[in-house]
Protein backbone atom coordinates (compact mmCIF):
# COMPACT_ATOMS: atom_id res chain seq x y z
CA UNK A 1 0.00 0.00 0.00
CA UNK A 2 1.08 3.60 -0.46
CA UNK A 3 -0.20 5.78 2.33
CA UNK A 4 3.00 6.08 4.35
CA UNK A 5 3.03 9.77 5.32
CA UNK A 6 6.63 9.71 6.48
CA UNK A 7 9.89 11.59 6.14
CA UNK A 8 12.55 11.99 4.79
CA UNK A 9 11.36 13.12 1.34
CA UNK A 10 13.26 10.26 -0.31
CA UNK A 11 10.81 7.81 1.23
CA UNK A 12 7.86 9.90 0.05
CA UNK A 13 9.32 9.79 -3.43
CA UNK A 14 9.52 6.02 -3.18
CA UNK A 15 5.79 5.70 -2.45
CA UNK A 16 4.88 8.20 -5.17
CA UNK A 17 6.66 6.06 -7.78
CA UNK A 18 3.99 4.41 -9.99
CA UNK A 19 6.18 1.30 -10.25
CA UNK A 20 5.78 0.54 -6.53
CA UNK A 21 3.01 -2.06 -6.08
CA UNK A 22 -0.13 -0.66 -4.43
CA UNK A 23 -2.54 -3.59 -4.74
CA UNK A 24 -2.84 -6.51 -2.35
CA UNK A 25 -4.00 -10.04 -2.99
CA UNK A 26 -7.68 -10.63 -3.75
CA UNK A 27 -8.08 -13.61 -1.34
CA UNK A 28 -7.04 -11.38 1.56
CA UNK A 29 -9.39 -8.61 0.45
CA UNK A 30 -12.33 -10.99 0.19
CA UNK A 31 -11.76 -12.54 3.60
CA UNK A 32 -11.42 -9.14 5.20
CA UNK A 33 -14.56 -7.87 3.44
CA UNK A 34 -16.58 -10.84 4.70
CA UNK A 35 -15.38 -10.19 8.25
CA UNK A 36 -16.46 -6.55 7.98
CA UNK A 37 -19.82 -7.43 6.43
CA UNK A 38 -20.52 -9.83 9.32
CA UNK A 39 -19.60 -7.11 11.84
CA UNK A 40 -21.66 -4.31 10.27
CA UNK A 41 -24.68 -6.27 9.11
CA UNK A 42 -26.95 -5.18 6.23
CA UNK A 43 -27.74 -1.53 5.51
CA UNK A 44 -31.44 -2.00 6.31
CA UNK A 45 -33.80 0.69 7.50
CA UNK A 46 -31.52 3.56 6.56
CA UNK A 47 -28.60 2.16 8.56
CA UNK A 48 -25.97 3.17 6.02
CA UNK A 49 -22.50 3.02 7.57
CA UNK A 50 -19.41 4.97 6.62
CA UNK A 51 -16.37 2.79 5.94
CA UNK A 52 -13.01 4.51 5.50
CA UNK A 53 -10.28 2.65 3.62
CA UNK A 54 -7.09 4.28 4.92
CA UNK A 55 -4.19 3.67 2.59
CA UNK A 56 -6.56 2.64 -0.16
CA UNK A 57 -3.82 2.58 -2.81
CA UNK A 58 -5.43 2.03 -6.20
CA UNK A 59 -8.69 0.97 -4.43
CA UNK A 60 -8.43 -2.66 -5.51
CA UNK A 61 -9.24 -3.78 -1.96
CA UNK A 62 -12.13 -1.33 -1.59
CA UNK A 63 -13.59 -2.36 -4.94
CA UNK A 64 -13.31 -6.03 -3.95
CA UNK A 65 -15.05 -5.31 -0.65
CA UNK A 66 -17.90 -3.22 -2.12
CA UNK A 67 -20.10 -6.16 -3.28
CA UNK A 68 -20.03 -7.55 0.27
CA UNK A 69 -21.14 -4.19 1.71
CA UNK A 70 -24.18 -3.09 -0.33
CA UNK A 71 -25.79 0.10 0.87
CA UNK A 72 -22.76 1.20 2.89
CA UNK A 73 -20.55 4.14 1.94
CA UNK A 74 -16.84 3.47 1.26
CA UNK A 75 -14.39 6.38 1.26
CA UNK A 76 -10.81 5.80 0.16
CA UNK A 77 -7.97 7.87 1.62
CA UNK A 78 -4.37 7.79 0.50
CA UNK A 79 -1.28 9.96 0.59
CA UNK A 80 -0.10 9.20 -2.95
CA UNK A 81 -1.63 11.34 -5.69
CA UNK A 82 -0.78 8.70 -8.28
CA UNK A 83 -2.63 6.03 -6.29
CA UNK A 84 -5.64 8.32 -5.87
CA UNK A 85 -5.91 8.90 -9.61
CA UNK A 86 -6.21 5.15 -10.08
CA UNK A 87 -8.52 4.74 -7.09
CA UNK A 88 -11.08 7.20 -8.49
CA UNK A 89 -11.59 4.90 -11.44
CA UNK A 90 -12.80 2.17 -9.05
CA UNK A 91 -14.68 3.86 -6.20
CA UNK A 92 -16.86 7.02 -6.02
CA UNK A 93 -15.01 8.69 -3.15
CA UNK A 94 -11.21 8.89 -2.88
CA UNK A 95 -9.50 11.82 -1.15
CA UNK A 96 -6.01 12.74 -0.11
CA UNK A 97 -5.15 12.43 3.56
CA UNK A 98 -2.35 11.64 5.96
CA UNK A 99 -2.23 9.90 9.30
CA UNK A 100 0.22 12.52 10.60
CA UNK A 101 0.94 16.16 9.77
CA UNK A 102 -2.55 17.36 10.65
CA UNK A 103 -4.39 14.07 10.55
CA UNK A 104 -7.12 12.66 8.36
CA UNK A 105 -9.75 14.95 6.74
CA UNK A 106 -12.49 13.49 8.94
CA UNK A 107 -14.37 14.62 12.03
CA UNK A 108 -13.89 12.79 15.29
CA UNK A 109 -16.26 9.82 15.57
CA UNK A 110 -17.45 10.12 11.96
CA UNK A 111 -16.50 6.62 10.76
CA UNK A 112 -18.31 3.39 11.56
CA UNK A 113 -15.44 1.23 10.32
CA UNK A 114 -11.87 1.57 9.12
CA UNK A 115 -10.14 -0.71 6.66
CA UNK A 116 -6.39 -0.63 7.26
CA UNK A 117 -5.08 -3.11 4.74
CA UNK A 118 -1.34 -3.71 4.52
CA UNK A 119 -0.48 -0.20 5.62
CA UNK A 120 0.87 -0.49 9.14
CA UNK A 121 4.03 -2.27 8.00
CA UNK A 122 4.95 0.84 5.97
CA UNK A 123 4.72 3.38 8.80
CA UNK A 124 7.46 5.02 10.81
CA UNK A 125 5.02 5.84 13.64
CA UNK A 126 2.27 3.20 13.91
CA UNK A 127 1.34 4.43 17.41
CA UNK A 128 0.29 7.83 16.06
CA UNK A 129 -1.55 6.09 13.21
CA UNK A 130 -3.74 4.04 15.55
CA UNK A 131 -4.34 7.14 17.70
CA UNK A 132 -5.68 8.92 14.61
CA UNK A 133 -7.79 5.92 13.58
CA UNK A 134 -9.25 5.78 17.07
CA UNK A 135 -10.10 9.49 16.83
CA UNK A 136 -12.12 9.16 13.62
CA UNK A 137 -13.95 5.98 14.69
CA UNK A 138 -17.15 6.25 16.69
CA UNK A 139 -17.18 4.43 20.05
CA UNK A 140 -17.66 0.76 19.25
CA UNK A 141 -16.56 1.32 15.65
CA UNK A 142 -14.74 -1.44 13.82
CA UNK A 143 -11.09 -1.64 12.80
CA UNK A 144 -10.23 -4.22 10.14
CA UNK A 145 -6.45 -4.39 9.93
CA UNK A 146 -4.33 -6.69 7.81
CA UNK A 147 -0.57 -7.05 7.68
CA UNK A 148 2.03 -9.64 6.65
CA UNK A 149 2.98 -12.15 9.33
CA UNK A 150 6.63 -12.14 10.35
CA UNK A 151 6.12 -15.64 11.78
CA UNK A 152 4.43 -17.13 8.67
CA UNK A 153 5.05 -20.86 8.33
CA UNK A 154 7.76 -20.50 5.68
CA UNK A 155 9.50 -17.63 7.50
CA UNK A 156 10.09 -19.91 10.46
CA UNK A 157 11.96 -22.30 8.22
CA UNK A 158 13.84 -19.54 6.44
CA UNK A 159 15.10 -18.08 9.71
CA UNK A 160 16.31 -21.49 10.86
CA UNK A 161 18.26 -21.70 7.60
CA UNK A 162 19.73 -18.22 8.15
CA UNK A 163 17.68 -16.62 5.35
CA UNK A 164 16.06 -13.19 5.63
CA UNK A 165 12.28 -13.62 6.19
CA UNK A 166 9.80 -12.93 3.38
CA UNK A 167 8.11 -9.51 3.72
CA UNK A 168 11.18 -8.01 5.44
CA UNK A 169 13.38 -5.56 3.54
CA UNK A 170 16.80 -4.11 4.25
CA UNK A 171 16.87 -1.62 1.35
CA UNK A 172 14.54 0.52 -0.75
CA UNK A 173 16.63 -0.22 -3.85
CA UNK A 174 16.70 -4.00 -4.06
CA UNK A 175 15.88 -7.25 -2.25
CA UNK A 176 18.81 -8.75 -0.39
CA UNK A 177 19.11 -12.06 1.42
CA UNK A 178 15.62 -13.46 0.87
CA UNK A 179 13.33 -14.81 -1.90
CA UNK A 180 11.43 -12.37 -4.08
CA UNK A 181 12.24 -9.37 -6.25
CA UNK A 182 9.68 -6.62 -5.50
CA UNK A 183 10.65 -3.83 -3.10
CA UNK A 184 7.50 -2.45 -1.45
CA UNK A 185 8.86 -0.45 1.49
CA UNK A 186 8.10 -2.56 4.55
CA UNK A 187 9.46 -0.90 7.70
CA UNK A 188 7.80 -2.97 10.45
CA UNK A 189 6.58 -6.55 10.75
CA UNK A 190 4.36 -8.20 13.35
CA UNK A 191 3.71 -11.63 14.74
CA UNK A 192 0.15 -12.53 15.75
CA UNK A 193 0.97 -11.99 19.43
CA UNK A 194 2.69 -8.65 18.86
CA UNK A 195 -0.18 -7.37 16.71
CA UNK A 196 -2.80 -8.31 19.31
CA UNK A 197 -0.87 -6.64 22.10
CA UNK A 198 -0.11 -3.51 20.10
CA UNK A 199 -3.71 -2.95 18.99
CA UNK A 200 -5.09 -3.61 22.48
CA UNK A 201 -2.59 -1.15 23.99
CA UNK A 202 -3.82 1.49 21.51
CA UNK A 203 -7.36 1.57 22.89
CA UNK A 204 -9.08 -1.23 20.99
CA UNK A 205 -10.71 -4.49 22.00
CA UNK A 206 -9.49 -7.33 19.80
CA UNK A 207 -12.51 -9.31 18.59
CA UNK A 208 -10.95 -11.81 16.22
CA UNK A 209 -7.67 -12.76 14.57
CA UNK A 210 -7.80 -14.74 11.33
CA UNK A 211 -5.36 -15.72 8.60
CA UNK A 212 -5.25 -15.21 4.83
CA UNK A 213 -3.02 -16.59 2.07
CA UNK A 214 -0.36 -14.58 0.24
CA UNK A 215 -0.66 -14.20 -3.52
CA UNK A 216 3.13 -14.28 -3.90
CA UNK A 217 3.59 -17.81 -2.58
CA UNK A 218 4.89 -20.11 -5.36
CA UNK A 219 2.11 -22.11 -6.99
CA UNK A 220 3.26 -25.56 -5.71
CA UNK A 221 3.03 -24.26 -2.12
CA UNK A 222 -0.31 -22.44 -2.32
CA UNK A 223 -2.41 -25.33 -1.03
CA UNK A 224 -0.19 -25.51 2.06
CA UNK A 225 -0.44 -21.74 2.47
CA UNK A 226 -4.24 -21.96 2.44
CA UNK A 227 -4.13 -24.73 5.05
CA UNK A 228 -1.97 -22.56 7.29
CA UNK A 229 -4.80 -20.01 7.48
CA UNK A 230 -6.56 -22.31 9.94
CA UNK A 231 -3.80 -21.39 12.42
CA UNK A 232 -3.51 -17.59 12.19
CA UNK A 233 -0.09 -17.43 13.93
CA UNK A 234 1.24 -19.50 10.99
CA UNK A 235 -0.67 -17.77 8.18
CA UNK A 236 0.96 -15.54 5.59
CA UNK A 237 -1.34 -12.58 6.30
CA UNK A 238 -2.86 -11.59 9.64
CA UNK A 239 -6.45 -10.28 9.60
CA UNK A 240 -7.43 -8.54 12.84
CA UNK A 241 -10.89 -7.28 13.78
CA UNK A 242 -10.98 -4.89 16.73
CA UNK A 243 -13.48 -2.41 18.16
CA UNK A 244 -12.83 1.06 19.51
CA UNK A 245 -13.27 1.15 23.26
Amino acid sequence: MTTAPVKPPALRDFYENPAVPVASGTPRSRRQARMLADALGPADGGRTRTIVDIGCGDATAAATAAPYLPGHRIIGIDWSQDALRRARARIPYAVRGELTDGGLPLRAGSADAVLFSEVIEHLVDPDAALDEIRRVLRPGGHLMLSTPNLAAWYNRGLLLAGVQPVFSEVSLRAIHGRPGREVVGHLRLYTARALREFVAASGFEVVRLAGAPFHGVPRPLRALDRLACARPPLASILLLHARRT
Side-chain angles (χ1 to χ4, degrees), residues 109 111 137-141 243-245:
L137 275 174
R138 65 169 175 79
R243 299 194 71 173
R244 182 195 184 280
T245 56

Side-chain angles (χ1 to χ4, degrees), residues 98 101 117 128 133 150 158 173 198 201-202 218 240:
E98 302 193 9
D101 295 337
S117 306
I133 288 172
L150 174 61
L158 290 174
R173 298 178 180 176
F198 172 62
S202 300
L240 183 138

Side-chain angles (χ1 to χ4, degrees), residues 89 144 155 174:
M144 294 290 174
N155 278 346

